[in-house]
Amino acid sequence: MIIDCHGHYTTSPRQHETWRQEQIAAHKAGQSAPPRPTISDDEIRASIEGGQLKLQQERGTDLTIFSPRAAGMGHHLGDASTSEAWATACNELIYRVCTMFPRNFAGVCMLPQSPGVSPRNCIAELERCVLQYGFVGCNLNPDPSGGYWTDPPLGDPYWYPIYEKMVELDVPAMIHVSMACNPAFHTTGSHYLNGDTAAFMQLMSSQLFHDFPTLKFIIPHGGGAVPYHWGRFRGLAQAMKLPQLGEHMLNNVFFDTCVYHLPGQELLAKVIPVANILFASEMIGAVPGVDPETGFNFDDTKRYIDQLPLSPESLSSIFEGNVRRVYGRLSKQLEVQLGET
Ligand SMILES: [Zn+2]
């Protein structure tokens, strides 16, 4: 089985995003948001069958861990109440997709974060999505300000209420920023990769995994700059008198394979232990174009992994085993679905 742990609903029906614009405009005008649009099952089905499902079939993958569009989370827009209404609408759509295509999609929620607002306000939505919708994880934005980093770093007790709930529910978080509103940063070209790299260093220089030994994070986009600079991080850990980096971080932190060329995947697999690499493509996402050097889409990451000099056991760990180990609730759902118990 091949599980892609990183997919967003980038093809959601247009009226969903239109409502978001109306909601933010209403907030700015001091008015209440209009009622949410009606979205039919047929519209959802068409958006998936012509998009993610089609590519799953073409590329030979089975299941996508699916969440709302990341750049669209826009936690810096509006306030905590607009974030809550938007997260509810986005997560509900993901739930509808997962209900229509239960063998192809497993849900991950966005959280109703807002800059300067305690992550405690996200607990109810996380609980709702996991317990009522059967979601298997969440996306946690380390910078709800959208590129100004005004909230405390991820190792700060400020974030502990949401970590406590994640541990209780046995769900991991993918650490995922949203749209950059700071013009110094391009959203997917710099802010995403900066966010991944900054988050790793925040975690590394904290006591977090001492306090939460079972907390699990996925750092997307191949871990930003981290695997390429693993020696720098090891050296920094040593200078900071931290434990060896592997022992300090790799029971809790995992990297996905959203790296869009073969040399990058080779480096990832050489530097990071296989047990910490999770297959992902983020297809129909940031880089959906065709690479003229290969003739294939940049985000068709399975092709690169298939070319790595790894044993069948290692490949199986990357494609399925590791994802199931990190997303424990997904593994239990699959056991039931596939009759493994
Ligand atoms: Zn993403």
Side-chain angles (χ1 to χ4, degrees):
M1 183 168 201
I2 296 182
I3 307 173
D4 181 342
C5 79
H6 189 168
H8 303 292
Y9 195 4
T10 49
T11 59
S12 62
R14 189 173 303 160
Q15 60 268 44
H16 177 61
E17 298 284 346
T18 304
W19 181 77
R20 170 64 163 171
Q21 288 162 13
E22 292 167 356
Q23 183 212 24
I24 293 303
H27 176 78
K28 281 186 183 151
Q31 296 162 356
S32 50
R36 272 169 45 194
T38 304
I39 299 173
S40 70
D41 283 357
D42 284 346
E43 285 173 299
I44 293 177
R45 191 171 293 111
S47 73
I48 290 293
E49 284 178 346
Q52 302 272 346
L53 195 64
K54 183 165 164 273
L55 289 191
Q56 279 184 1
Q57 285 157 0
E58 284 176 10
R59 297 180 182 182
T61 65
D62 299 300
L63 177 84
T64 300
I65 297 183
F66 206 46
S67 61
R69 195 170 68 86
M73 295 190 296
H75 293 122
H76 61 283
L77 299 169
D79 59 17
S81 69
T82 46
S83 279
E84 189 181 329
W86 177 232
T88 304
C90 291
N91 292 331
E92 190 182 298
L93 269 190
I94 297 297
Y95 173 62
R96 290 178 67 187
V97 171
C98 296
T99 306
M100 282 183 205
F101 302 95
R103 291 186 175 273
N104 302 95
F105 296 95
V108 153
C109 62
M110 66 172 272
L111 297 172
Q113 294 177 252
S114 194
V117 177
S118 168
R120 192 181 297 281
N121 83 320
C122 299
I123 289 175
E125 181 63 7
L126 177 63
E127 253 186 338
R128 189 176 77 87
C129 288
V130 172
L131 299 178
Q132 291 181 31
Y133 288 171
F135 283 13
V136 299
C138 61
N139 288 339
L140 182 70
N141 185 348
D143 174 29
S145 74
Y148 292 93
W149 295 89
T150 51
D151 281 342
L154 291 174
D156 192 279
Y158 174 81
W159 298 90
Y160 278 24
I162 194 74
Y163 299 156
E164 284 164 10
K165 188 51 69 175
M166 283 167 55
V167 166
E168 182 194 317
L169 294 170
D170 184 27
V171 291
M174 179 172 280
I175 297 174
H176 206 311
V177 293
S178 185
M179 183 196 303
C181 60
N182 181 336
F185 300 129
H186 181 275
T187 292
T188 53
S190 47
H191 186 44
Y192 276 27
L193 303 182
N194 294 346
D196 304 334
T197 311
F200 183 85
M201 192 65 206
Q202 291 176 4
L203 299 175
M204 181 184 128
S205 52
S206 78
Q207 287 295 306
L208 190 55
F209 302 131
H210 178 266
D211 294 344
F212 296 93
T214 61
L215 190 63
K216 292 189 179 71
F217 292 116
I218 302 93
I219 302 191
H221 320 114
V226 173
Y228 191 63
H229 288 283
W230 195 242
R232 172 177 289 256
F233 290 99
R234 284 180 53 229
L236 285 169
Q238 182 174 299
M240 293 163 73
K241 307 214 179 317
L242 296 168
Q244 290 277 319
L245 196 54
E247 172 197 336
H248 185 46
M249 296 293 280
L250 293 181
N251 293 319
N252 307 84
V253 174
F254 301 82
F255 299 91
D256 85 4
T257 65
C258 292
V259 178
Y260 293 155
H261 65 155
L262 178 59
Q265 296 286 354
E266 288 171 337
L267 181 136
L268 179 69
K270 202 167 174 183
V271 173
I272 300 299
V274 160
N276 291 74
I277 301 174
L278 274 55
F279 172 64
S281 73
E282 202 174 15
M283 60 180 165
I284 324 180
V287 191
V290 173
D291 182 347
E293 291 182 9
T294 65
F296 296 105
N297 293 83
F298 286 101
D299 63 10
D300 188 356
T301 55
K302 180 171 173 295
R303 280 181 188 280
Y304 313 127
I305 297 158
D306 286 339
Q307 294 174 64
L308 297 177
L310 296 174
S311 68
E313 293 76 23
S314 293
L315 288 172
S316 164
S317 297
I318 291 173
F319 283 130
E320 179 184 354
N322 297 339
V323 185
R324 290 182 63 160
R325 196 154 41 82
V326 173
Y327 291 85
R329 280 186 174 261
L330 172 67
S331 198
K332 287 189 187 116
Q333 288 175 10
L334 289 174
E335 282 171 19
V336 174
Q337 206 176 75
L338 302 172
E340 287 179 1
T341 46

